[in-house]
Amino acid sequence: MIARPLFAVTTVTLLLAACGPASQPQAEGPAIPPQEGSPTPSPALAGGLSPGAVNQAPFAVPPTDEARAPAVLRAQILLDRARFSPGVIDGTAGENLRQAVAAYEEANALPVDGEMDEQVFAKLTAADARPVLADYLMTEADVKGPFVTLGDKMTEQAKLPAMGFESAKEALAEKFHMTEELLDQLNPGADFTRAGTKIVVAQVGDDALPADVALIEVDKADKALRAYGADGKLLAFYPSTIGSDERPAPEGLLKVTGVAQNPTYTFDPKRLTYSQPGVKGKLTLPGGPNNPVGSVWIGLSKETFGIHGSGEPREIGKKFSHGCIRLTNWDAQELAGKVKAGVKVSFVEASAGGLREEQAKAKPQAKT
């Protein structure tokens, strides 16, 4: 039960004791989509998420509930483009947004409190004034599939040719780092099965880091991963799911051993502390974006541990893993594109200047 990811292969079988399904809690990604100057006008939607309202949204204090808000959606997309990932883009203010804001504040010499306030918003919008929503014309490749029905039983999933997307809408949501619910809200009545359909999507970046990664810092307290270049500068920040009390993440310093694209996954109940209904012995699940370790695996020098993607982007940072470090598929792919064997991976309890869990409950600091 050993993961041996290699740079030269595109499919590799992972037999993991540490990583596993979320039972508790190509290096190149999508380019900025084509647009016609600005998105086609559409009626205002619930929460005021018309393209025009979002692209020109002024600062507004984020809602305290789960409501989607234009300013929050604009900030999420700008943070994503600046490589301070908010995780999946959904238009709502949550802990992943707080962590991304805190990392952005730290990198820009602002007081670190994780609050999306007027000063942070102004800096984000001044640095990148492009529209955050754009028109996208669905292609034949977007709708052709093949798509699968995953179900919730490993015994059935093991029979699939691949653990791919279940629909074109799911594939498009992942392509543009969004939830399907947000995609629906931005495109009421859209036919996501027909090529030629014009839809509104998040105008995300190209998912390519500007330099090779020389150091990865896994911050257990902040539930975050930071990638640094050889000059010590922060290249990217990603919200992460990092271990659990039952199966904690490693400690100290490890190294990257390799990268595997489209890994398969072998569930071995004899080596795990949890079970799956109907699974009596070893069971291998095919590769694909909905595989338990997502679309890419970055192996570490401690046996069975790695950094990998996830088929459940909305759960990143909110549930637990079985020891490994889980990112959204697009964040994992971005990181994997600039990682080589031998890169150091440091596990820390709290990074200097980072947002602490207790800070999230404290009174925000005044910014000057």
Side-chain angles (χ1 to χ4, degrees):
M1 191 156 109
I2 300 173
R4 293 191 178 91
L6 303 174
F7 283 98
V9 299
T10 57
T11 303
V12 63
T13 300
L14 301 179
L15 296 86
L16 308 177
C19 293
S23 56
Q24 49 170 336
Q26 296 224 312
E28 302 256 341
I32 291 178
Q35 60 181 63
E36 301 174 357
S38 62
T40 302
S42 61
L45 307 175
L49 294 185
S50 67
V54 175
N55 284 337
Q56 318 227 348
F59 170 74
V61 176
T64 56
D65 56 17
E66 294 297 313
R68 296 186 180 100
V72 172
L73 179 53
R74 187 180 182 190
Q76 283 183 322
I77 297 171
L78 290 176
L79 284 165
D80 180 282
R81 289 205 300 230
R83 300 187 181 90
F84 293 88
S85 173
V88 66
I89 295 167
D90 61 3
T92 68
E95 189 59 23
N96 284 349
L97 178 61
R98 290 181 61 87
Q99 298 287 17
V101 168
Y104 184 82
E105 289 169 326
E106 185 176 354
N108 287 276
L110 298 173
V112 179
D113 60 16
E115 296 295 323
M116 174 53 71
D117 60 18
E118 194 163 4
Q119 186 174 2
V120 172
F121 193 84
K123 197 166 189 68
L124 277 169
T125 53
D128 189 344
R130 293 174 298 164
V132 295
L133 296 179
D135 286 337
Y136 176 76
L137 202 63
M138 290 173 52
T139 67
E140 290 289 347
D142 290 326
V143 302
K144 73 177 182 180
F147 302 112
V148 300
T149 299
L150 293 171
D152 56 5
K153 295 181 179 179
M154 269 195 177
T155 50
E156 295 301 315
Q157 293 171 347
K159 300 175 184 178
L160 295 171
M163 292 194 70
F165 294 114
E166 295 194 275
S167 67
K169 183 166 67 174
E170 183 189 12
L172 285 163
E174 176 139 332
K175 182 175 184 177
F176 298 108
H177 307 181
M178 305 162 65
T179 62
E180 291 182 61
E181 291 80 5
L182 178 60
L183 193 59
D184 275 331
Q185 189 175 6
L186 291 171
N187 300 281
D191 183 355
F192 292 103
T193 67
R194 183 175 62 85
T197 300
K198 184 185 291 186
I199 59 174
V200 175
V201 299
Q203 186 170 275
V204 294
D206 61 5
D207 285 358
L209 295 179
D212 288 342
V213 175
L215 172 67
I216 294 172
E217 180 186 84
V218 179
D219 191 327
K220 298 180 184 181
D222 283 358
K223 299 177 185 174
L225 184 151
R226 295 172 177 84
Y228 296 91
D231 58 1
K233 291 184 179 180
L234 180 69
L235 297 175
F237 166 93
Y238 307 116
S240 312
T241 295
I242 304 171
S244 63
D245 290 340
E246 179 186 8
R247 180 74 69 170
E251 297 180 355
L253 193 65
L254 300 180
K255 291 183 179 181
V256 169
T257 57
V259 173
Q261 295 287 341
N262 197 37
T264 59
Y265 170 84
T266 296
F267 180 86
D268 185 353
K270 293 182 179 179
R271 299 288 301 274
L272 297 167
T273 57
Y274 60 96
S275 61
Q276 288 290 325
V279 180
K280 306 294 184 183
K282 286 185 181 181
L283 195 64
T284 298
L285 301 183
N290 277 312
N291 182 281
V293 292
S295 62
V296 65
W297 167 266
I298 301 172
L300 301 180
S301 53
K302 183 171 182 177
E303 184 179 355
T304 77
F305 285 88
I307 301 166
H308 62 82
S310 171
E312 297 289 346
R314 67 175 62 221
E315 294 183 356
I316 297 302
K318 299 173 184 176
K319 293 194 175 182
F320 302 103
S321 74
H322 294 274
C324 289
I325 300 88
R326 188 181 302 151
L327 311 176
T328 65
N329 277 335
W330 54 86
D331 286 344
Q333 288 285 0
E334 181 176 87
L335 179 65
K338 292 293 185 176
V339 165
K340 299 177 181 178
V343 168
K344 294 179 180 179
V345 181
S346 176
F347 288 82
V348 298
E349 293 299 331
S351 64
L355 181 65
R356 310 293 184 264
E357 290 182 353
E358 60 267 25
Q359 283 181 297
K361 303 174 185 178
K363 184 178 179 180
Q365 305 173 30
K367 287 186 170 66
T368 58

